[in-house]
Amino acid sequence: MKHNAKAVAIVVVVGIPVVFHMLFRTCGQYVYGGCRRSFFGSFLVEQGGVFAEIVRSTEYLFSVVVGLIFVAYLLSGAWDRVSG
């Protein structure tokens, strides 16, 4: 049961930001310097209001989540070496 709960938590923590990233960011070889705002994201920002704020606040959410997971992995490894 714990294994299933961990799997669901990982899917939620990584999956939701990935969905927002795919909706609002376009990444690829043709984009110079990384990612840019997608057509859908640009449209929502131009409209303004709540949807523009959602786009702005979630554009870098995927990068932040991946960074936090990486830091947590590094800290857990360091904690194991210190306590073990």
Side-chain angles (χ1 to χ4, degrees):
M1 186 69 177
K2 280 187 174 183
H3 182 66
N4 289 340
K6 286 181 182 180
V8 169
I10 289 172
V11 167
V12 168
V13 166
V14 174
I16 291 172
V18 167
V19 169
F20 280 121
H21 185 80
M22 290 172 54
L23 283 173
F24 303 137
R25 301 294 285 174
T26 300
C27 301
Q29 294 176 349
Y30 64 90
V31 179
Y32 179 74
C35 300
R36 65 177 173 86
R37 195 173 278 156
S38 69
F39 177 75
F40 181 62
S42 298
F43 174 76
L44 290 176
V45 169
E46 288 174 9
Q47 298 301 314
V50 173
F51 292 116
E53 293 305 317
I54 290 172
V55 171
R56 287 187 192 110
S57 64
T58 59
E59 281 181 327
Y60 298 102
L61 186 61
F62 178 67
S63 300
V64 170
V65 166
V66 170
L68 289 175
I69 290 172
F70 182 70
V71 168
Y73 174 75
L74 290 177
L75 290 177
S76 69
W79 181 257
D80 290 341
R81 281 179 269 161
V82 169
S83 64

